[in-house]
Amino acid sequence: MAARERGKTEKSSTGIIKAGLFVLLLCIALSIIMVVVQQDTYRSQVSKEFHQQHVSMGEYLNSLLMGYGQGLMNVAWTIGGHDEDSIQARIATTSELTALGHIYYINAMGELHEDGEDIEGGSEQMFEQLQELSYPKAAAYIGLAPSAVRLFTGSSMVIAAPVRTPDYGISSVVFSTIDIEGIFESDAFAYQTQKGQCLLVSDAGEIIAGAGGYRIVDMTDESFQLGLLEHSDKEGLSKRAVQDFNYGIAKKTNGFVTITTADGYRMQVSYSPLNGCDGLHFVSCFQDNLIDQSIKPLIFTSVLTCSIIIVVMIGALTLVWISAKSTNLTVERLAYEDPVTKGKNLNYFREFALNTMISNRETPFIIYRFDIANFRYINESYGHHRADMVLVSCIKNFERLFSERELCVRMDADQFLAVLINDSLLDKKMDEFTNAVNADARGNQIKYPIRFKYGIYPVKKHDHDIDVMIDHANVAKKTIKSDSKETKALYTERFVDDMRKVDHIESSMQKALAENEFKVYLQTKWDIIENKVTGAEALVRWVRPNGSVLGPEQFVPIFENNGFIEQLDFYTLESVCMRMREMMDDGIDVVPVSVNQSRLLLHSPDYVENVEKVLKQYNIPPGAIELEITESVFDNEKEDVIAIIRRLKMLGVRLSMDDFGTGYSSLNMLTEVPFDVIKIDGEYFARSAESEQERMVLGKIVEIIKDLGMEVVCEGVESEAQVEYLKTTGCRTVQGYYFSIPVPEPEFITRYLKKNE
Ligand code: C2E
Ligand code: MG
Ligand code: MG
């Protein structure tokens, strides 16, 4: 049962742990998914943010270039239609006013002026280049939509505007250079340049200008795309990204692509067309690890949060595990520990004994099932606490004296069970054990000697069922009568038969009582001087429905063991009183009848009151009923018994001490206990006749009893010689087969009693 409970608790706690682990793993998985999803979300957010920034700057660059173009157009318009000198003067003035750098002017003769000053010959190369572009055409084109005209290698861009004649012809051209890299390096582009690189790239991928602390592509690279690929891991996805980039700029849209760099980082490349400069694109490359760096704090927070949750969960799980473990230990303790002695209990014993026997097959084992004689008395006299100390002492001393392969447990109350090695040292060890427990008891001021009653079963080789072995030892123990001086009983097969009989008797006793199967027989008490009946003893017989008659020796000890004797004795007393009342009412001269009272009755609550009730109910005159109390009740609890006897006497009943001579009661007791009659036990009497000395002792005892004013009845008188002998001792009342065997009541009445005339 307890083992099952333990199993249940273990199962439920491992269930909790499993569920906890499952939840933990789920949490870890969810955390990982969450971090990955968050990482992606953050990444795309950061990417968008970067791109947005790029687009804004692209628009800014566009408007800046458009502004420069417009400025130059205004200059061209202002000087159009003026003479050469006036033009030079106006350019000189205007160049100071516009945001443009130097303003160059080339007249129809091809002479180059810078900010209104002649530059001798300096224009040749430039002019040639302009010529190549067919400058009037180019200038017209530029004038309509200022556009990049790459005249210089490096970072500058030339913008030009046609100077028109009043009739809308082109007379000359003004142009200016814009330092793109200078623009990129201005504060406005700090965001881009600090985070990576910003570039001006043509449709064909040529890098026109670039700036930024972190160089991703080199200005010397053949094309931007090649530089990008060079920087990437060159894997499929990166190649695809470069293709997307090509596609994007071909379509003149804005967008961004992500490539994985050779170092394994992700780099974002945003591109947008410069509407005012056809064929040019503003490109921002954001540093390789920038995105990862930007999201790092956010991811760190997420990972930290998840880690905290997981750590808390692991902590909670550990707590659950620890508490489950301690619950298991508690359950195990409850399952295997005896609460009183703190030793092991029967559950543990079963497992231990069996395992020990299996693993030590060659060792002879023996089972001892024992209890403490009169433990109830110890309990009542010295209190539960000290009585419990005796129990604890049993376990402690056993553990001290016996080996690890032996075990003693308390089953309940004062019932113990031990498995021992059946060797030559066993008896000696058991003696030591008893002595040690007694020494402890004396140390606890318990003066009552501790005696054990052992039922013993030597384990056989083929035995395998521990419960059967325990039962055998128990059967053996049950054969020791509670009042017997025997302390040991070894199991024999005969016990099984006896047990069956006991079972049979116990299962039918209640019904037998209800159906009046218990019959009162009466045996005469004979006055050997006057040779007449002076009384009778009620002796119970069990007359079975099949007519068989069981004598009290067959069932009284069993009833004394199971307590049923209390009911039976009271039933006997009541039926004797009832019959006596009937006889008295019928005018029959009754004789005093003695009724045997079991020791258990004396301890039954309300015993005296119940006797009184019956006597009153049947109006029994004083002295008509005698109660026989066996001598052995005085072995213990003498004071209590004497008190009860005194109270019974007050009710007017006679009291006799039965079986005198069988116990160890001292003659002193005769003075202490106020008996009316002392009944000398039949067997003791028979033994006394054997030697002169014994006869003398018996004679003296009879004399003392009589001197103390008590009556003597001698039981078991079977011969005339015994009668004659008793006459010489002065004992005049006898009981025995010589005069009459116990007979059924009706027979007794007809044979020995007569009606009043
Ligand atoms: P006891 O009270 O000592 O009864 C005397 C026993 O001696 C009776 O045995 C009786 O039959 C037997 N006896 C009488 N004369 C002789 C004789 O000359 N020779 C021999 N050998 N025996 C003789 P019984 O009736 O078998 O009862 C045995 C015991 O059972 C009684 O001993 C008494 O202790 C107990 N008993 C009998 N009836 C009751 C009862 O109703 N209640 C209780 N508690 N015990 C009872
Ligand atoms: Mg008797
Ligand atoms: Mg007797």
Side-chain angles (χ1 to χ4, degrees), residues 537-539 594-596 628 656 658-659 679 715 735:
E537 177 175 4
L539 295 159
S594 61
V595 182
N596 290 287
E628 293 192 10
S656 55
D658 204 357
D659 309 327
K679 295 185 78 178
E715 289 185 306
Q735 215 181 306

Side-chain angles (χ1 to χ4, degrees), residues 184-231:
F184 283 164
E185 275 157 16
S186 70
D187 286 350
F189 286 84
Y191 185 84
Q192 260 79 2
T193 50
Q194 275 167 20
K195 288 192 183 332
Q197 192 177 15
C198 54
L199 304 136
L200 205 55
V201 175
S202 75
D203 277 348
E206 278 172 301
I207 303 162
I208 293 156
Y214 182 79
R215 292 281 163 155
I216 292 149
V217 286
D218 274 334
M219 302 308 291
T220 52
D221 281 342
E222 203 177 316
S223 81
F224 176 74
Q225 286 88 330
L226 284 175
L228 208 57
L229 263 180
E230 196 52 42
H231 192 70

Side-chain angles (χ1 to χ4, degrees), residues 396-435:
K396 289 276 165 300
N397 283 304
F398 187 96
E399 281 173 4
R400 187 173 58 78
L401 291 166
F402 290 86
S403 74
E404 282 185 349
R405 287 187 294 164
E406 293 159 295
L407 175 73
C408 174
V409 301
R410 189 187 77 106
M411 298 166 78
D412 65 288
D414 61 329
Q415 308 294 317
F416 290 89
L417 192 60
V419 58
L420 301 151
I421 296 171
N422 194 7
D423 57 13
S424 54
L425 293 173
L426 179 61
D427 286 344
K428 191 174 154 262
K429 279 192 189 171
M430 284 311 280
D431 286 346
E432 277 179 50
F433 169 69
T434 312
N435 291 340

Side-chain angles (χ1 to χ4, degrees), residues 118-139:
D118 292 347
I119 304 171
E120 285 296 324
S123 68
E124 270 171 33
Q125 192 193 353
M126 191 186 290
F127 191 70
E128 272 169 22
Q129 286 172 340
L130 278 174
Q131 283 287 6
E132 267 174 34
L133 279 172
S134 166
Y135 79 87
K137 197 175 142 212

Side-chain angles (χ1 to χ4, degrees), residues 132-321:
E132 267 174 34
L133 279 172
S134 166
Y135 79 87
K137 197 175 142 212
Y141 170 70
I142 290 166
L144 288 172
S147 171
V149 181
R150 197 159 58 86
L151 296 178
F152 300 97
T153 51
S155 60
S156 292
M157 186 172 100
V158 175
I159 52 169
V163 181
R164 293 178 191 278
T165 55
D167 55 355
Y168 279 96
I170 295 172
S171 62
S172 53
V173 66
V174 282
F175 66 93
S176 181
T177 58
I178 301 168
D179 179 10
I180 301 290
E181 276 183 8
I183 294 173
F184 283 164
E185 275 157 16
S186 70
D187 286 350
F189 286 84
Y191 185 84
Q192 260 79 2
T193 50
Q194 275 167 20
K195 288 192 183 332
Q197 192 177 15
C198 54
L199 304 136
L200 205 55
V201 175
S202 75
D203 277 348
E206 278 172 301
I207 303 162
I208 293 156
Y214 182 79
R215 292 281 163 155
I216 292 149
V217 286
D218 274 334
M219 302 308 291
T220 52
D221 281 342
E222 203 177 316
S223 81
F224 176 74
Q225 286 88 330
L226 284 175
L228 208 57
L229 263 180
E230 196 52 42
H231 192 70
S232 81
D233 61 356
K234 301 182 184 71
E235 294 294 327
L237 276 177
S238 295
K239 284 183 182 165
R240 177 90 191 272
V242 174
Q243 277 170 14
D244 287 349
F245 175 84
N246 283 337
Y247 184 76
I249 59 170
K251 283 268 170 203
K252 299 199 188 309
T253 54
N254 77 57
F256 66 87
V257 294
T258 307
I259 65 155
T260 308
T261 66
D263 300 338
Y265 291 109
R266 289 151 71 96
M267 183 178 72
Q268 182 173 321
V269 179
S270 287
Y271 54 88
S272 50
L274 288 179
N275 297 330
C277 308
D278 195 23
L280 287 187
H281 301 268
F282 175 55
V283 176
S284 305
C285 295
F286 294 100
Q287 231 171 277
D288 299 2
N289 55 356
L290 196 64
I291 295 179
D292 292 330
Q293 260 177 9
S294 305
I295 62 170
K296 239 180 206 163
L298 297 167
I299 295 301
F300 176 76
T301 317
S302 302
V303 171
L304 189 73
T305 313
C306 291
S307 305
I308 290 171
I309 293 172
I310 289 167
V311 166
V312 167
M313 281 210 61
I314 291 174
L317 211 64
T318 314
L319 277 180
V320 170
W321 183 71

Side-chain angles (χ1 to χ4, degrees), residues 77-91:
W77 188 77
T78 316
I79 60 174
H82 291 277
D83 58 39
E84 198 70 5
D85 289 343
S86 168
I87 286 173
Q88 295 301 338
R90 278 169 192 266
I91 289 175

